[in-house]
Amino acid sequence: MATYNKDKVEKALSCPLNRRKFLKGLLAAGVLAGVPGGLLRAVASEAGIVYEGDYQVFRNACPRNCYDTCSIKTFVKDGVVQFIEGAPESSFTDGALCVKGFSYPRRIYSPDRVKYPMLQVGRGSGKWRRISWDDALNRIAQKILEIKKKDDSLLGLGLTKYSGNFGITNYGVEGMMSSLGYTTRFVGTPCWPAGIDAQNYDMGNMWCNDPEDMVDARYIILWGANPAWCSVHSMKFITAAQERGAKVLCIDPVFTQTAAKSDEYWQVKTGEDGALALGMCRHLLDRGMYDKQFVSEHATGWEDFAAYLKSNITVEWAAKKSGIPAAEIVRTAEEFAQAKPATIWIGYGLQRHVNGGATVRAIDALVAMSGNIGKVGGGARYGHLFTWGFNYHALVQKQPEGSKGYLGQTGPKGEFDTGQGAKPAKYSDRAVNINQTARMILEAKEPPLRMLWASCKNVFSQDFDLNMMKKAFEKLEMVVVVDQFFNQTVEHADIVLPVTTLFEEWTENVSYWHYWLSINEQAIKPMFESKSNIEIASMLSAKMNSLSPGSCTFPTKIDTKKWMEKEFNAGIYKLFGISSWQDLKKGPVKAKLASSASWSGLKFATPSKKYEFKSELCATHGHKALPEYMDGRKPYGPYRLLTPHSKFNIHSQFQNLDWMEEFNSEPYVYLNPALAKEKGISDGDMVKVSSKVGQMTIKAMITDNVPPDTLLMYEAWFNKNPYNVQALVDDTPADMGKYKTGAPGVAIHDQFADIARA
Amino acid sequence: MDIASLTLGALRDFFIGPDAESLEAAIRRLAALGGLSLEHQDWREVEYDFNRLFVGPAPPAAPPYASLYLENEPRLMAESTLRVRHFYQMLGCISPWQDALPDDHLSLELDVCIMLRESLLNVCDHKLSELYAYFMAEHLVLWVPAFIEKVLNQSNLTRPIAGAVHLLADWLESERSWLAPAVLTRDLSRPAVQLTGR
């Protein structure tokens, strides 16, 4: 029989010094020397165990596709992240994270993480084998070589990657593909392309004011944006402006949390935002309440735009189209024009329409004619890529000698493609539309798409038309997914490779909204066998070269910290006023801006160097030269289906974590009480939602936050749940996006569906 | 090594087995020790089942990490995991996978039990037996029964996995007689689940 003194043992356990002393004699005598075949190792010397008293602090940054790109302070003890905080040095992050960010430790240490490279025997069978990295890479490399042999090119190998991790070194995934040869790339962005093109036509670039200068605004319109959920750090600047007397108007088909915090809310008819903006423009024109100096000296095409407004637009027409009473339009247009400065935050939601680009151009025009472009506290705020001037060292890789590829026209490979890197002399990658991924896989010929590599991307959750996607995947000979969790894409993979979280890799991050730069230090060892994207690339290259020397140019040995360093350059250092990336260890820094206002010098980047109410370039690209009203998509079902963002997740990340599940345990379709009554649906009833591309059975929740003609389902990936809004959303393109991102956007909010009790 | 240590060694290697071959090898050792009857088995199916239960990539049904059964808000690398690490440190030991694989993986814990049992066979030291008793009573028996129950509640369990889990339960039960009476008040009884398997 054994006895023990619990207090005594625990006292010894709790203190490093006592731990060493407890068995000192026995340890010295080697009594506990390893048992043959055992796992645990003897500590070589006492120095082998690091006894740390206080926390080690690391600098990190949230790399998700989110306005806020928070600067993070990470507290590590015993090699384990204990907790994280928002960095206080950034006046944007300001010491706090969002509900998702604070949950990061639950993510790093979730038992649900993909831990090892694994092979599925029969795609979708659920029969998984754990394989070594070497085995996994061997299978992948063999397949790549087989494709090359069969097709005499690697166009049969496709890459789909988007915004799952915006850390700069993660562009090494694209680099890995280039280092193999010319491949098929899914280009474009489902997020914001129509608006990017629109702002490029109007001003020559997408360039927003510093969001922190919203405190100086006297009137703020939050148009199709829900920062109370999706950019929580921006809210403090909006609130501060309100406290200083600014009026905040929220325009959205859905009564959002942001709407609740605004002074006024307009429930616009979905997709009719352009009509509303043009109605306001017409009224300001009639009243002469526009900036005559701006429109004559700093803009082109004003007369044509004014003529268009006079002959085509009336306030009454705008009221009828948008559902906002004429008197309200008139009053608000005047208030907006009289407030100096006034600003509009153009949300990404309102451009996810077949008329999305035209809508953004109409809103830009309203901000421009009211004289608010180039003003501190003003501006047509959409986003920017002003701080993204890194070397893209990981991205820029050369194709192996003699690689063959695509012969045809090429364009940018997404909004972050700066055109850097070696220009292919003859061949190029084959670019296909990321917003029609399923269709592109099915239609690709000569050669067909044989193999798909997905990284930083949950294809099944984020790409459109789920049923078509399932068919498309059947056509693929091999699917490799690099991910952290077992989502619906991993379910359909042959091989899954575990990738590091942000705390397990070196990189750097900037935002497309604010102007801060953060270093992302590796704070802990990677859990299990996870590797960063660039480590995976170097390991694949080593394998490729061992099987077929010269078949991959990616360096086979890399130091990930050095690769983080290699992304910096003199331009970045100058912009941020630092002498070395090491300065970022003290905390994030903000770009040294001449003004918080974009376009403060009123020198635009358009062909005319002026604001272009009339853009010939836009006309050349097949659109209207003027920001004319464009009809929305013709309804093909009885109710509009909206699939916006929830506060518990960013796309398919975070909702699977236990903390989120506790607050938001299951998905719903939200509908208005009037519609619920008509359909005999009560709260909690199971209902069937069906569209022309698919259907879903789901619980209903009744709320008057959504209009009576609308069904709302938040896009999300729920763990162990087949819920997927893409089962109902088709891949119809938005009007714009091809110019700057390589492919048009997608009309995510121009979708229609029916609902009935299940 | 005595039979119990040999059995524990085979269980340790089973629960951390990376593939069908190592799972089969561990089960063959258990069979040779007389703990299990070896039947015709598709070991690949055992591997799929093993990964479904303990590894992934889908959320494993019964992940073999102590913290997930001991913490109020279960997660890997929790406070209780670090206490296990500190316990290893007390014995002058370290996991070869420290900071990558949680220290409280069942196999690492079985390994430290073997080490303590074997050392106690060689040297009669009160502090050593005190540590073993402490680890058993204050740690292992607080979570392993719940883990066993989770596994045995799974439908369609393959026979070798069910067998290994029952041997683990048997061993835990046998250690009861060795532990102090105060500890016996804890409910170490085997979960009331019928041995089923495919």
Side-chain angles (χ1 to χ4, degrees):
Chain A
M1 186 186 294
T3 56
Y4 63 92
N5 181 330
K6 189 173 180 233
D7 291 343
K8 193 179 88 182
V9 177
E10 282 180 356
K11 197 177 159 205
L13 261 178
S14 66
C15 166
L17 222 68
N18 293 345
R19 247 177 265 159
R20 277 178 287 174
K21 276 190 199 151
F22 197 79
L23 287 178
K24 200 158 190 175
L26 283 177
L27 291 179
V31 170
L32 284 154
V35 176
L39 302 175
L40 294 164
R41 301 276 172 268
V43 176
S45 69
E46 289 200 348
I49 299 171
V50 182
Y51 297 99
E52 290 155 0
D54 296 313
Y55 296 106
Q56 285 173 278
V57 179
F58 293 89
R59 295 290 175 173
N60 290 98
C62 184
R64 308 278 86 92
N65 183 353
C66 170
Y67 286 105
D68 289 15
T69 308
C70 287
S71 304
I72 296 173
K73 273 177 93 171
T74 301
F75 294 80
V76 173
K77 200 174 182 180
D78 270 327
V80 177
V81 174
Q82 301 294 338
F83 59 94
I84 64 171
E85 288 180 351
E89 295 85 358
S90 162
S91 47
F92 188 83
T93 303
D94 198 26
L97 301 172
C98 73
V99 63
K100 303 178 285 285
F102 278 122
S103 73
Y104 267 125
R106 312 300 300 170
R107 176 165 170 160
I108 315 168
Y109 301 118
S110 166
D112 296 347
R113 267 186 80 169
V114 176
K115 305 172 184 74
Y116 307 100
M118 297 196 80
L119 171 76
Q120 186 165 216
V121 182
R123 211 179 287 160
S125 68
K127 296 184 171 186
W128 289 90
R129 292 178 56 194
R130 179 177 159 190
I131 54 176
S132 66
W133 272 101
D134 188 65
D135 188 356
L137 294 168
N138 191 48
R139 288 166 192 269
I140 292 164
Q142 297 280 13
K143 183 68 191 176
I144 293 172
L145 292 170
E146 177 200 311
I147 290 171
K148 204 166 166 181
K149 199 170 168 196
K150 198 179 283 175
D151 298 335
D152 197 30
S153 83
L154 278 181
L155 296 175
L157 168 62
L159 169 67
T160 184
K161 171 179 177 270
Y162 188 48
S163 64
N165 186 340
F166 270 153
I168 301 299
T169 52
N170 284 288
Y171 289 101
V173 179
E174 287 89 336
M176 176 182 77
M177 285 290 143
S178 296
S179 73
L180 289 163
Y182 297 105
T183 56
T184 294
R185 304 290 185 86
F186 288 84
V187 306
T189 147
C191 182
W192 57 340
I196 293 179
D197 277 10
Q199 292 220 313
N200 271 277
Y201 294 133
D202 294 337
M203 289 170 273
N205 204 346
M206 166 184 68
W207 184 17
C208 62
N209 280 32
D210 179 353
E212 297 176 44
D213 86 353
M214 274 191 290
V215 291
D216 295 314
R218 306 297 297 164
Y219 201 109
I220 300 174
I221 299 180
L222 303 170
W223 204 326
N226 183 11
W229 278 12
C230 303
S231 180
V232 295
H233 296 81
S234 293
M235 287 306 285
K236 59 180 168 290
F237 306 111
I238 294 166
T239 309
Q242 266 176 317
E243 281 166 4
R244 295 169 66 174
K247 186 165 181 179
V248 176
L249 163 66
C250 177
I251 305 177
D252 203 304
V254 181
F255 184 77
T256 61
Q257 189 70 42
T258 303
K261 290 173 189 291
S262 299
D263 299 297
E264 209 167 312
Y265 166 59
W266 284 359
Q267 191 160 49
V268 65
K269 280 188 194 162
T270 308
E272 295 297 347
D273 310 85
L276 189 52
L278 291 170
M280 291 166 83
C281 289
R282 169 68 201 260
H283 182 69
L284 295 183
L285 176 68
D286 287 353
R287 289 293 164 95
M289 294 176 76
Y290 58 94
D291 187 329
K292 292 169 189 76
Q293 194 188 355
F294 180 86
V295 301
S296 62
E297 289 176 25
H298 303 292
T300 63
W302 166 252
E303 294 303 328
D304 290 328
F305 180 52
Y308 166 77
L309 289 174
K310 279 188 180 147
S311 52
N312 293 280
I313 305 293
T314 65
V315 170
E316 290 67 30
W317 168 85
K320 201 168 159 224
K321 281 278 178 191
S322 67
I324 306 302
E328 295 290 299
I329 297 175
V330 163
R331 177 178 57 79
T332 297
E334 291 181 10
E335 283 177 6
F336 184 81
Q338 283 165 341
K340 303 274 182 221
T343 188
I344 298 179
W345 180 339
I346 304 169
Y348 304 136
L350 60 69
Q351 52 92 56
R352 292 173 184 151
H353 291 276
V354 296
N355 58 0
T359 296
V360 172
R361 289 199 69 205
I363 297 172
D364 282 350
L366 173 62
V367 180
M369 74 182 284
S370 62
N372 282 301
I373 302 278
K375 297 277 169 62
V376 172
R381 297 162 194 264
Y382 187 69
H384 77 88
L385 297 171
F386 190 76
T387 52
W388 292 69
F390 296 95
N391 288 336
Y392 297 94
H393 167 263
L395 171 112
V396 180
Q397 304 292 335
K398 258 175 75 177
Q399 287 75 16
E401 201 80 14
S403 294
K404 291 186 186 165
Y406 185 66
L407 289 163
Q409 282 207 318
T410 58
K413 297 193 185 78
E415 68 275 45
F416 300 98
D417 185 350
T418 55
Q420 294 186 36
K423 291 267 178 290
K426 192 173 168 200
Y427 295 111
S428 69
D429 293 321
R430 173 169 61 181
V432 294
N433 184 351
I434 200 169
N435 292 325
Q436 296 187 318
T437 296
R439 196 180 294 278
M440 295 295 123
I441 295 171
L442 288 168
E443 289 176 2
K445 282 189 194 76
E446 295 174 25
L449 209 59
R450 303 180 187 280
M451 177 175 181
L452 185 69
W453 186 289
S455 182
C456 305
K457 176 93 195 270
N458 182 350
V459 181
F460 271 71
S461 188
Q462 301 309 130
D463 287 322
F464 311 98
D465 198 336
L466 182 67
N467 286 322
M468 204 200 299
M469 188 67 75
K470 285 179 181 164
K471 279 196 203 91
F473 263 51
E474 283 170 17
K475 210 183 151 200
L476 295 166
E477 295 162 22
M478 182 183 265
V479 177
V480 179
V481 177
V482 182
D483 217 314
Q484 287 164 1
F485 290 100
F486 186 75
N487 54 45
Q488 291 163 8
T489 309
V490 179
E491 266 181 62
H492 291 85
D494 297 300
I495 292 175
V496 61
L497 302 175
V499 74
T500 43
T501 65
L502 69 103
F503 303 96
E504 299 160 326
E505 67 185 29
W506 285 96
T507 196
E508 54 275 279
N509 298 78
V510 286
S511 159
Y512 50 76
W513 182 241
H514 64 65
Y515 285 84
W516 289 84
L517 163 66
S518 301
I519 192 80
N520 185 76
E521 297 182 286
Q522 184 180 338
I524 53 167
K525 271 195 204 167
M527 284 297 289
F528 299 98
E529 290 184 7
S530 54
K531 307 269 182 204
S532 66
N533 272 308
I534 53 173
E535 286 175 296
I536 294 171
S538 73
M539 290 162 68
L540 178 62
S541 184
K543 179 55 77 182
M544 289 293 299
N545 281 293
S546 77
L547 294 173
S548 171
S551 62
C552 184
T553 64
F554 205 93
T556 55
K557 280 203 166 58
I558 59 164
D559 177 333
T560 57
K561 186 180 175 187
K562 288 222 168 67
W563 275 51
M564 173 277 295
E565 290 177 44
K566 284 172 196 281
E567 296 295 356
F568 288 96
N569 55 44
I572 287 277
Y573 287 158
K574 189 171 171 230
L575 177 61
F576 287 94
I578 54 174
S579 56
S580 155
W581 67 268
Q582 303 267 8
D583 296 349
L584 298 168
K585 286 183 163 184
K586 291 186 286 235
V589 293
K590 189 174 176 178
K592 309 290 176 215
L593 303 166
S595 166
S596 66
S598 55
W599 310 113
S600 62
L602 299 180
K603 299 265 180 293
F604 294 93
T606 52
S608 66
K609 306 293 173 214
K610 293 184 174 184
Y611 183 94
E612 296 196 355
F613 286 104
K614 185 177 183 181
S615 166
E616 295 303 340
L617 182 64
C618 192
T620 310
H621 290 171
H623 315 293
K624 301 281 186 192
L626 291 167
E628 293 183 23
Y629 174 77
M630 190 177 170
D631 275 320
R633 190 177 186 186
K634 201 167 168 275
Y636 55 80
Y639 307 106
R640 185 175 290 270
L641 174 70
L642 295 178
T643 56
H645 297 158
S646 153
K647 69 173 165 181
F648 296 106
N649 58 288
I650 176 98
H651 303 303
S652 65
Q653 304 193 63
F654 294 106
Q655 173 57 56
N656 64 309
L657 302 180
D658 55 355
W659 281 5
M660 302 304 164
E661 287 175 334
E662 194 164 332
F663 285 97
N664 190 42
S665 59
E666 61 182 325
Y668 295 94
V669 56
Y670 298 84
L671 72 162
N672 189 278
L675 176 58
K677 197 175 169 199
E678 185 190 319
K679 295 279 178 179
I681 295 168
S682 306
D683 243 343
D685 279 357
M686 291 306 286
V687 294
K688 196 165 91 180
V689 182
S690 49
S691 79
K692 66 179 189 180
V693 294
Q695 59 180 46
M696 207 188 307
T697 304
I698 185 172
K699 226 180 241 181
M701 191 175 274
I702 298 167
T703 171
D704 54 12
N705 289 350
V706 299
D709 67 347
T710 297
L711 306 172
L712 183 147
M713 299 165 80
Y714 292 109
E715 57 129 24
W717 165 60
F718 282 76
N719 200 10
K720 304 179 203 170
N721 190 320
Y723 177 77
N724 189 331
V725 298
Q726 311 306 356
L728 303 167
V729 176
D730 78 357
D731 64 355
T732 292
D735 53 346
M736 294 180 194
K738 188 158 175 42
Y739 168 38
K740 295 306 285 188
T741 73
V746 67
I748 297 171
H749 296 318
D750 282 336
Q751 304 288 329
F752 300 89
D754 202 355
I755 187 168
R757 286 181 61 133
Chain B
M1 274 199 251
D2 69 353
I3 287 233
S5 290
L6 290 169
T7 302
L8 275 188
L11 287 173
R12 171 197 65 203
D13 296 344
F14 180 78
F15 284 109
I16 205 162
D19 52 26
E21 294 70 31
S22 32
L23 297 177
E24 180 181 356
I27 293 295
R28 283 187 183 281
R29 277 158 65 196
L30 289 171
L33 290 166
L36 284 175
S37 61
L38 199 60
E39 295 161 44
H40 175 72
Q41 193 71 51
D42 181 343
W43 293 99
R44 203 55 86 192
E45 287 296 328
V46 178
E47 179 180 2
Y48 302 146
D49 199 27
F50 182 91
N51 289 333
R52 177 180 69 89
L53 291 164
F54 308 128
V55 181
Y65 305 93
S67 64
L68 303 177
Y69 303 83
L70 296 174
E71 299 281 329
N72 285 332
E73 279 195 319
R75 62 163 235 203
L76 302 175
M77 303 299 265
E79 281 289 305
S80 58
T81 312
L82 293 177
R83 278 202 299 278
V84 172
R85 175 185 296 182
H86 296 156
F87 185 78
Y88 299 162
Q89 289 175 355
M90 243 167 138
L91 302 169
C93 291
I94 185 168
S95 159
W97 306 291
Q98 184 169 301
D99 297 332
L101 181 73
D103 306 75
D104 57 356
H105 186 285
L106 176 64
S107 290
L108 289 167
E109 297 197 349
L110 294 181
D111 197 49
V112 85
C113 289
I114 299 170
M115 179 191 280
L116 283 163
R117 292 184 88 265
E118 287 298 304
S119 300
L120 282 166
L121 291 176
N122 295 329
V123 56
C124 186
D125 181 87
H126 172 66
K127 273 186 174 172
L128 211 52
S129 77
E130 187 173 22
L131 284 185
Y132 186 41
Y134 171 83
F135 190 67
M136 287 297 301
E138 298 295 335
H139 182 73
L140 264 187
V141 302
L142 301 187
W143 79 272
V144 175
F147 163 76
I148 291 170
E149 189 171 358
K150 226 174 193 177
V151 178
L152 295 180
N153 278 337
Q154 290 291 311
S155 54
N156 273 330
L157 212 53
T158 46
R159 221 169 257 280
I161 292 176
V165 165
H166 278 282
L167 284 178
L168 181 65
D170 289 346
W171 170 71
L172 218 55
E173 181 86 355
S174 72
E175 291 304 85
R176 287 175 63 187
S177 58
W178 180 81
L179 291 171
V183 183
L184 293 177
T185 57
R186 295 203 196 280
D187 179 18
L188 301 183
S189 59
R190 282 166 63 159
V193 175
Q194 292 297 310
L195 171 58
T196 52
R198 58 184 164 100

